[in-house]
Amino acid sequence: EKFRNKLEKLSYKMVDKIVCQSHDMAIDFINVFKVDKSRVWVINNPITHDFPIKSPKDKKDRVIKLITVGRLSIEKGHLRILNVLAKLKYDFQYTIIGKGPFKQEIFNEINKLNLKDKVNYIPFTKEVGKYISKNDLFLQGSYVEGFPNTVLESCLVGTPVLAFDVPGGTKEIISHGLNGYLAHSNEEYLALLNEPFKWDAVKIRESVLKKFDQKKIIAEYEELIN
């Protein structure tokens, strides 16, 4: 591990430019790894799939549908999401998509909180956009992020995102109140989950279309190379 860290730091000194997916990542390279800021560039990930916008929800369906997509690891914060969900007073269904080493701990918590009947688990799917579009809200519980592509994909289909305001690229995608919310505590996360679900799918989609368009991101790489 120490050898790998030393090798990484050495490699940073041997390259002309380092491309970071978020501003927080760039700050780490400058302050932690002591890379000169002139060699650090921020270029976000582009939209890589043209998912269609979601269909309006059937008014007869009163069950709130929530979803999280991502690796089942401790830093992704599934446990704190579950602890918040256990306090909800309304009917909901929560879908978890992903694999990872923290799976057993997550399911232990689900059983402990008596949420087994409210949680659907899907290990893997190639139709992430399809699943996200069927839900009312995408939940992110991460303690740190690089640049969360699933959050971007959620906005693209018109599903708002409730996330924690943590280091990384999430806050470069989420505009509070427009395409989702950024919470600063479990209590605020719960309060925002209790807000009325009145979102404009078209506005949510438009909030990311231009900002993360492939042509725009390619142009940023061309600028860097030139």
Side-chain angles (χ1 to χ4, degrees), residues 12 15 17-31 33 35-46 145-147 168-169 172 212 217 220-221 224:
Y12 299 150
V15 298
K17 298 290 182 183
I18 295 175
V19 178
C20 299
Q21 297 165 310
S22 70
H23 287 88
D24 283 347
M25 193 183 296
I27 291 171
D28 274 350
F29 272 98
I30 295 167
N31 294 337
F33 296 103
V35 177
D36 189 274
K37 64 181 180 180
S38 64
R39 295 197 295 123
V40 178
W41 281 55
V42 177
I43 301 179
N44 298 133
N45 286 351
E145 276 289 345
F147 189 85
E172 293 176 37
F212 304 104
I217 302 301
E220 291 177 10
Y221 274 102
L224 167 61

Side-chain angles (χ1 to χ4, degrees), residues 128-147:
V128 171
K130 179 181 176 181
Y131 277 98
I132 294 175
S133 66
K134 291 180 178 180
N135 283 268
D136 299 295
L137 192 64
F138 185 104
L139 303 182
Q140 187 190 67
S142 300
Y143 291 94
V144 65
E145 276 289 345
F147 189 85

Side-chain angles (χ1 to χ4, degrees), residues 94-162:
Y94 178 44
T95 298
I96 299 174
I97 298 179
K99 295 180 179 180
F102 208 58
K103 177 184 173 181
Q104 191 57 54
E105 286 82 355
I106 291 170
F107 276 87
N108 288 344
E109 194 71 7
I110 289 171
N111 291 327
K112 176 184 172 183
L113 296 170
N114 296 315
L115 292 175
K116 188 175 180 180
D117 293 338
K118 294 183 176 295
V119 176
N120 306 307
Y121 174 61
I122 301 169
F124 174 79
T125 178
K126 291 184 178 180
E127 298 181 302
V128 171
K130 179 181 176 181
Y131 277 98
I132 294 175
S133 66
K134 291 180 178 180
N135 283 268
D136 299 295
L137 192 64
F138 185 104
L139 303 182
Q140 187 190 67
S142 300
Y143 291 94
V144 65
E145 276 289 345
F147 189 85
N149 291 321
T150 51
V151 168
L152 181 57
E153 290 167 356
S154 185
C155 291
L156 188 62
V157 303
T159 298
V161 178
L162 174 56

Side-chain angles (χ1 to χ4, degrees), residues 24-106:
D24 283 347
M25 193 183 296
I27 291 171
D28 274 350
F29 272 98
I30 295 167
N31 294 337
V32 178
F33 296 103
K34 307 302 179 185
V35 177
D36 189 274
K37 64 181 180 180
S38 64
R39 295 197 295 123
V40 178
W41 281 55
V42 177
I43 301 179
N44 298 133
N45 286 351
I47 294 169
T48 56
H49 296 88
D50 188 19
F51 294 126
I53 194 167
K54 67 193 301 176
S55 302
K57 183 176 180 177
D58 187 343
K59 292 183 179 180
K60 295 180 182 178
D61 186 2
R62 298 193 176 187
V63 177
I64 298 299
K65 295 180 180 178
L66 312 166
I67 188 169
T68 296
V69 182
R71 179 173 164 78
L72 305 186
S73 53
I74 191 168
E75 71 276 3
K76 293 297 184 179
H78 291 84
L79 297 190
R80 64 174 172 175
I81 290 177
L82 291 168
N83 276 274
V84 170
L85 293 182
K87 298 174 182 177
L88 287 178
K89 303 300 183 184
Y90 56 76
D91 193 14
F92 69 90
Q93 281 293 313
Y94 178 44
T95 298
I96 299 174
I97 298 179
K99 295 180 179 180
F102 208 58
K103 177 184 173 181
Q104 191 57 54
E105 286 82 355
I106 291 170

Side-chain angles (χ1 to χ4, degrees), residues 170-202:
T170 302
K171 54 182 172 285
E172 293 176 37
I173 302 172
I174 300 304
S175 299
H176 192 83
L178 175 62
N179 57 13
Y181 290 128
L182 292 171
H184 298 88
S185 65
N186 285 18
E187 291 73 22
E188 186 179 3
Y189 203 92
L190 176 60
L192 291 169
L193 268 173
N194 284 312
E195 288 286 319
F197 283 78
K198 296 180 180 178
W199 295 90
D200 188 324
V202 174

